[in-house]
Amino acid sequence: MSVRRFDPNTLSISVARGPTQLGLSAKLLVLTILFVMLAEVLIYLPSVANFRRNWLNDRLAAAQIAVLVLENAPAEGLPEGSEERLLAGVGASAIAARVGGARRLLSLDSMPHEVARTVDLRDQSWMQSIVESVATLVSPSHEMPIRVVGQAVGAADFVEIVIDERPLRHAMLKFSVNLTLITLIISILTAGLVYLTLNWLIVQPIRHLAANVMEFEHDPENPRRIIEPTERADEIGEAQRALARMQATLADDLRAKKHLAELGLAVSKINHDLRNMLAAAQLMSDRLTETRDPKIRRFAPRLIATLGRAIDFCQATLAYGRAAEATPALRDVALRQLVAEQAELLGLGENGAIAFANEVPAEVIAPCDPDQMARVLSNLMRNAIQALDGIMEAGERTPTLRISAGRRHEEIVLRIADNGPGVPPRARDNLFQAFRGSVNPGGTGLGLAIAAELVRLHGGMIALEPSEVGAVFTVSLPARRTAA
């Protein structure tokens, strides 16, 4: 009886094999023996049928010699006792032949009126021969003889003999024993060679794969548990190389996640105190705006903004480290108003250094969680502002941020476009992954990762559209279906 054990920590299932269950090698051996036995049957039946046919043909050949002796016998007949010796040499009780339309009979007694069966070898098929051979072995006729008819040579049209079936069955049984012994020896050797070959080529490598998988399961972060593939060019070699690649990738990912977990634990311990210290520094920095020194008053807003971004970063790190985001509480939200509120919180306005255009139509209503969608807009708009700071300092062109929205099929599509430097190629592959998809140097990529997670909770999708200038992010949300 097999016992299935499930470990929720490792998400693995192990099956204990009972003492009565067969392993792969044992199953292979049993199947090999069964197939060899089937081959024995397929070889035996045609062989014993062919032996029976040859045995009867030999008797018919001897009978034809007796017929030739009869044809060339002198007028006064054969010497006394010659017929008995001819019949004994053939092993028949009667021999008959038709020569030139006349029937010639050689028999001690008269031709029997009834026989158990008639075997006509002149037009007998192989299937019929096999069936009759099995009948001879299983249900032989001991009381009545059988009649055998065969093609004759010379002037005779055909020859028939009447013989006892018991010598035929005895010869067939002896042949069967000899054939079985020979084929059994050959089959055992063949089965053994096939078993050893398949065990060497297939079973042992599969056992090695299974053992390596079980060892890797217990300690997947240990690089020594990664399988060393052989140079085989067949499917097993490909499986070994694929398993080695998978184990190496999994081990790297597990080590990276372990480091991130340790980092998250450390950050969670210091983040609260750090955020309080930054908040205190921001409050003290607010007093710098009251000073009369023009240089301090010029740099104070930047210092306050930098401290604000640091506080937001701490808050975003804590938010991303939570187990899961809450399920969105969907309701109809006017996107234009939501965009305007976020623009006001971020300091975007008519007199700002960054030109802002809220091009979302007032009639665009999206079913979403307003708080979570506000976080999505805040992260995307904040990233755009940070990207536009570079061209604002360089003075190349007027930094501009445009947000538009519209309905497309069964979706509400929100577009956040800026004319900044765009997303560098190195960041596009892992754009929405935390700590790997940062657009700005020194960033963590948490903003885009959080935005992507919140959009997915809404059943939507966030993507970066190709653009010649700047970056264009699109947020697609499922729209409410209108009544038909």
Side-chain angles (χ1 to χ4, degrees):
M1 179 178 179
S2 63
V3 180
R4 185 177 294 270
R5 299 192 297 269
F6 177 69
D7 186 359
N9 296 323
T10 59
L11 296 180
S12 64
I13 296 177
S14 58
V15 179
R17 190 168 65 235
T20 59
Q21 289 183 324
L22 299 179
L24 188 59
S25 296
K27 291 179 180 178
L28 177 61
L29 180 59
V30 171
L31 289 176
T32 304
I33 293 175
L34 290 177
F35 290 148
V36 167
M37 293 176 63
L38 178 60
E40 283 277 343
V41 175
L42 297 177
I43 294 173
Y44 170 74
L45 291 177
S47 299
V48 74
N50 185 63
F51 174 81
R52 176 176 176 270
R53 178 190 291 268
N54 293 334
W55 193 91
L56 293 175
N57 282 327
D58 291 342
R59 299 302 177 273
L60 288 174
Q64 291 182 35
I65 295 175
V67 170
L68 293 176
V69 172
L70 288 176
E71 291 179 357
N72 299 310
E76 61 273 12
L78 294 173
E80 184 178 355
S82 298
E83 293 184 3
E84 290 84 348
R85 289 192 295 270
L86 287 174
L87 290 173
V90 176
S93 58
I95 300 174
R98 188 171 65 182
V99 181
R103 186 179 182 85
R104 302 289 298 272
L105 177 64
L106 177 63
S107 175
L108 297 176
D109 301 319
S110 60
M111 197 73 169
H113 298 287
E114 187 177 0
V115 294
R117 63 174 66 93
T118 299
V119 180
D120 193 346
L121 298 179
R122 293 175 296 180
D123 55 354
Q124 189 178 54
S125 63
W126 274 105
M127 184 57 66
Q128 185 179 0
S129 178
I130 292 175
V131 172
E132 292 182 358
S133 300
V134 174
T136 301
L137 292 172
V138 175
S139 58
S141 175
H142 297 300
E143 298 179 357
M144 291 184 294
I146 62 172
R147 175 172 171 260
V148 183
V149 182
Q151 192 70 37
V153 295
D157 296 331
F158 64 88
V159 177
E160 57 180 309
I161 58 176
V162 177
I163 61 174
D164 188 1
E165 196 175 21
R166 284 176 291 184
L168 172 61
R169 182 172 182 270
H170 178 73
M172 291 175 63
L173 289 175
K174 185 177 180 181
F175 172 79
S176 299
V177 172
N178 295 333
L179 178 63
T180 302
L181 291 176
I182 295 174
T183 53
L184 186 60
I185 295 174
I186 297 175
S187 300
I188 291 175
L189 292 176
T190 304
L193 292 175
V194 171
Y195 169 75
L196 293 176
T197 302
L198 293 180
N199 195 65
W200 173 56
L201 290 176
I202 299 177
V203 177
Q204 292 299 331
I206 291 179
R207 279 183 174 177
H208 180 63
L209 284 174
N212 177 264
V213 170
M214 288 186 287
E215 291 179 358
F216 184 80
E217 180 185 13
H218 294 300
D219 189 9
E221 297 181 18
N222 189 351
R224 294 186 177 181
R225 298 294 177 92
I226 299 176
I227 189 173
E228 295 182 3
T230 61
E231 297 181 356
R232 296 180 58 158
D234 55 7
E235 289 79 0
I236 292 181
E238 294 177 0
Q240 291 174 345
R241 289 185 286 273
L243 179 61
R245 291 193 297 268
M246 183 194 69
Q247 289 177 339
T249 302
L250 182 59
D252 292 341
D253 290 343
L254 288 176
R255 286 194 294 269
K257 289 182 179 180
K258 182 179 180 180
H259 293 163
L260 289 177
E262 294 173 351
L263 176 62
L265 180 62
V267 170
S268 64
K269 292 180 179 179
I270 66 175
N271 207 19
H272 179 72
D273 294 336
L274 178 62
R275 184 176 55 178
N276 291 338
M277 288 186 288
L278 291 174
Q282 189 179 38
L283 291 176
M284 289 184 290
S285 300
D286 289 340
R287 300 180 181 179
L288 295 178
T289 58
E290 301 175 358
T291 184
R292 296 181 180 180
D293 191 333
K295 292 184 178 180
I296 296 178
R297 296 188 64 177
R298 187 170 66 252
F299 288 107
R302 295 186 182 180
L303 176 61
I304 295 173
T306 302
L307 291 173
R309 285 197 294 270
I311 294 173
D312 292 339
F313 167 71
C314 293
Q315 185 65 33
T317 304
L318 285 177
Y320 185 78
R322 293 171 188 161
E325 295 286 351
T327 302
L330 301 182
R331 67 182 187 186
D332 291 338
V333 176
L335 291 182
R336 182 178 179 84
Q337 180 63 28
L338 192 63
V339 171
E341 292 175 358
Q342 297 306 309
E344 183 178 357
L345 291 176
L346 293 173
L348 297 173
E350 297 181 355
N351 298 325
I354 298 176
F356 173 71
N358 186 354
E359 300 177 354
V360 179
E363 64 272 12
V364 176
I365 306 296
C368 62
D369 187 313
D371 294 333
Q372 292 186 356
M373 191 51 56
R375 292 172 60 190
V376 172
L377 287 171
S378 175
N379 286 324
L380 294 176
M381 293 169 68
R382 193 184 302 276
N383 283 349
I385 292 173
Q386 292 176 359
L388 293 173
D389 284 342
I391 67 169
M392 183 172 58
E393 294 177 358
E396 299 174 354
R397 54 183 177 273
T398 302
T400 304
L401 174 60
R402 298 179 181 273
I403 301 181
S404 60
R407 188 183 181 99
R408 182 177 63 190
H409 303 297
E410 298 296 329
E411 294 179 332
I412 300 295
V413 180
L414 189 67
R415 299 177 77 253
I416 298 93
D418 64 70
N419 62 345
V423 178
R426 60 177 176 81
R428 294 178 183 175
D429 295 336
N430 304 306
L431 191 58
F432 300 103
Q433 297 184 24
F435 305 105
R436 298 179 65 184
S438 174
V439 176
N440 300 316
T444 61
L446 281 174
L448 291 178
I450 294 173
E453 182 179 0
L454 294 176
V455 172
R456 282 195 297 269
L457 288 175
H458 283 76
M461 184 177 63
I462 185 171
L464 175 67
E465 282 190 355
S467 60
E468 296 181 358
V469 178
V472 179
F473 287 90
T474 60
V475 177
S476 302
L477 300 174
R480 292 192 186 276
R481 296 185 177 180
T482 57

